[in-house]
């Protein structure tokens, strides 16, 4: 199938480290492939790149080596305690391919990203850039976002996630945004992706509370039950929680979360999502939802649910799935947004269904196309 480079933006973070360590463990037969959608029987024969075909590199602003990060995650219970040792050679190999993230912005930063991607892709068939870095605040609209011609003279208006999307397309790479940041979600960048014949997908990985919402919201709609209010509280630790303690970053995440409800219920509903940073939780998160709905003859009822999970363990296998699927898209010459990858995202690009069952069917069909 050829080698697929996976360039991780935020490569020493918890999600990226778990993905690299997990891929190494599965390749060595040290771990089951639980949580990997592309390992399900429905995707057998889809001619996807194998886990052994993935080569990892990336950027980060921190310099803690991947082996040490894996040890920290094992101590926190995210990785199995005995895992870092047996996969240390693969972690060190990936570490050797990591580079410091460029500082600043504009053309100088983008040129550095392009140069790093070009060096990385030597000897590889295709490269997929996957953004798993910290969430950005919403991007202020700018006229230069509307067309590629206008953007070329104003690259400094791009936030970091969009700089990576621009650089990825210029370097001939696919792009996936696993965060709710801007990424490739600008008309000028969509134009560039199509011009460069490169695929992109996103945004904001659907791993916990919103995954449940994408299943439950269609249930209410299909049973003719009127949802009056859907409220949620999220308790997060770790780097994600620290980032989302910032109101600007939290607003990006909340807007993404609400998309699932609005699109499945046919409009906005009452209630809000609150995100609270609880450092003691570490890499674990708890989400509590309260749904107030109206049934036959106006009878009011409620659904309450609690979701507790390990953020990195939920996200990492999806990152590997997206690397394999987008690698196939690069190999097959797909250009522009891949709506069928909406199964993985809260706020997917392109036109497609928003309930999980229909999204899964669309993904499966695309994989075998």
């Amino acid at each position: 199938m050829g080698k697929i480079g996976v360039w991780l933006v935020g490569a020493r973070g918890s999600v990226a480290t778990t993905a690299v360590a997990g891929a190494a463990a599965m390749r060595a037969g040290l771990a089951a492939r639980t949580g990997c959608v592309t390992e399900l029987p429905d995707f057998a024969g889809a001619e996807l790149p194998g886990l052994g075909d993935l080569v990892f590199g990336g950027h980060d602003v921190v310099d803690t080596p991947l082996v040490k990060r894996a040890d920290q995650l094992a101590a926190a219970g995210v990785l199995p305690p005995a895992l870092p040792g047996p996969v240390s050679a693969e972690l060190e190999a990936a570490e050797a391919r990591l580079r410091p993230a460029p500082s600043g912005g504009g053309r100088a930063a983008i040129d550095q990203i392009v140069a790093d991607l070009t060096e990385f892709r030597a000897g590889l068939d295709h490269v997929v850039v996957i953004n798993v870095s910290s969430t950005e605040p919403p991007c202020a609209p700018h006229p230069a976002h509307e067309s590629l011609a206008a953007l070329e003279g104003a690259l400094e208006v791009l936030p970091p996630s969009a700089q990576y999307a621009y650089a990825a397309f210029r370097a001939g790479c696919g792009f996936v945004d696993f965060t709710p940041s801007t990424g490739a979600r600008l008309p000028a960048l969509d134009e560039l992706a199509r011009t460069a014949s490169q695929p992109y997908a996103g945004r904001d990985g659907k791993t916990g509370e919103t995954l449940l919402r994408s299943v439950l919201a269609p249930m209410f709609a299909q049973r003719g039950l009127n949802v009056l209010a859907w409220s949620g509280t999220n308790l997060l630790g770790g780097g994600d929680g620290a980032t989302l303690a910032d109101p600007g970053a939290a607003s990006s995440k909340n807007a993404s979360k609400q998309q699932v409800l609005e699109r499945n219920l046919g409009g906005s509903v009452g209630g809000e999502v609150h995100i609270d940073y609880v450092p003691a939780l570490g890499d674990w998160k708890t989400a509590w939802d309260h749904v107030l709905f109206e049934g036959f003859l106006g009878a009011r009822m409620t659904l309450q649910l609690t979701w507790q999970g390990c953020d990195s363990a939920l996200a990492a296998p999806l990152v590997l799935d997206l690397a394999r699927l987008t690698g196939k898209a690069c190999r097959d010459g797909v250009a522009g947004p891949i709506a069928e990858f909406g199964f993985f995202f809260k706020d997917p690009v392109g036109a497609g269904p928003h309930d999980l069952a229909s999204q899964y069917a669309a993904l499966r069909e695309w994989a075998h196309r």
Side-chain angles (χ1 to χ4, degrees):
M1 294 295 179
K3 293 292 184 182
I4 302 296
V6 184
W7 189 263
L8 298 165
V9 185
R12 295 188 179 100
S14 297
V15 172
T17 304
T18 303
V20 176
M26 290 187 290
R27 283 192 293 244
L30 301 174
R33 304 194 173 193
T34 307
C36 291
V37 175
T38 49
E39 288 297 313
L40 295 174
D42 279 346
F43 294 87
E47 298 186 349
L48 299 176
L51 288 171
D53 299 323
L54 304 182
V55 179
F56 296 97
H59 277 145
D60 210 317
V61 297
V62 301
D63 56 8
T64 305
L66 283 174
V67 171
K68 185 173 181 180
R69 285 292 294 123
D71 286 337
Q72 293 170 346
L73 291 171
V78 178
L79 298 179
L83 182 63
V87 301
S88 61
E90 293 215 38
L91 291 172
E92 289 168 356
E95 177 68 32
R97 293 187 288 266
L98 303 191
R99 298 292 180 267
S103 58
R107 189 168 294 278
I110 289 171
D111 287 346
Q112 183 59 59
I113 298 169
V114 171
D116 288 344
L117 290 172
T118 302
E119 178 187 5
F120 174 63
R121 72 173 298 163
L124 302 172
D125 291 87
H126 301 281
V127 171
V128 178
V129 178
I130 303 182
N131 182 21
V132 286
S133 63
S134 298
T135 298
E136 299 169 351
C139 175
H142 191 282
H145 295 162
E146 297 304 312
S147 73
L148 183 57
L151 182 63
E152 293 293 359
L155 292 176
E156 68 279 357
V157 305
L158 292 178
S161 63
Q163 290 178 17
Y164 272 99
Y166 179 97
F169 301 146
R170 282 292 182 212
C173 306
F175 180 79
V176 175
D177 201 340
F178 205 75
T179 81
S181 302
T182 302
R185 204 70 167 267
L186 296 173
L189 295 179
D190 175 75
E191 182 182 347
L192 177 57
R194 296 174 190 272
T195 300
S197 297
Q198 295 301 321
Y200 70 91
R203 62 188 175 177
D204 199 4
K206 187 164 58 186
T207 60
E209 179 188 36
T210 314
L211 179 67
L212 289 174
R213 289 181 169 199
S214 68
V215 175
L216 294 174
M219 176 195 73
F220 286 105
Q222 291 161 5
R223 288 296 298 270
L225 300 171
N226 185 27
V227 176
L228 302 174
W230 198 313
S231 305
T233 296
N234 290 252
L235 308 179
L236 302 176
D240 197 29
T243 297
L244 295 176
D246 173 72
S251 67
S252 292
K253 176 67 76 171
N254 286 336
S256 179
K257 283 176 170 289
Q258 289 300 110
Q259 294 286 337
V260 172
L261 293 183
E262 292 176 4
R263 289 170 176 171
N264 278 298
L265 296 175
S268 61
V269 298
E272 297 181 349
V273 176
H274 298 276
I275 299 175
D276 295 325
Y277 176 41
V278 184
L281 284 174
D283 203 58
W284 303 80
K285 64 182 180 182
T286 297
W288 172 76
D289 273 31
H290 180 281
V291 186
L292 174 63
F293 64 99
E294 186 178 64
F296 190 54
L297 302 179
R300 289 197 170 193
M301 294 165 273
T302 62
L303 167 68
Q304 298 183 53
L305 58 93
T306 303
W307 170 280
Q308 294 176 303
C310 176
D311 207 31
S312 297
L314 291 165
L318 305 186
V319 170
L320 298 176
D321 287 329
L322 285 161
R324 297 176 68 189
L325 289 159
T326 310
K328 172 183 168 65
C330 290
R331 188 188 67 209
D332 293 349
V334 176
I338 308 177
E340 291 87 351
F341 290 8
F343 174 78
F344 295 101
F345 300 108
K346 298 181 181 74
D347 183 17
V349 298
H354 298 282
D355 66 284
L356 195 69
S358 297
Q359 289 177 330
Y360 181 79
L363 176 68
R364 181 180 57 203
E365 180 183 347
W366 181 92
H368 288 280
R369 188 175 303 161

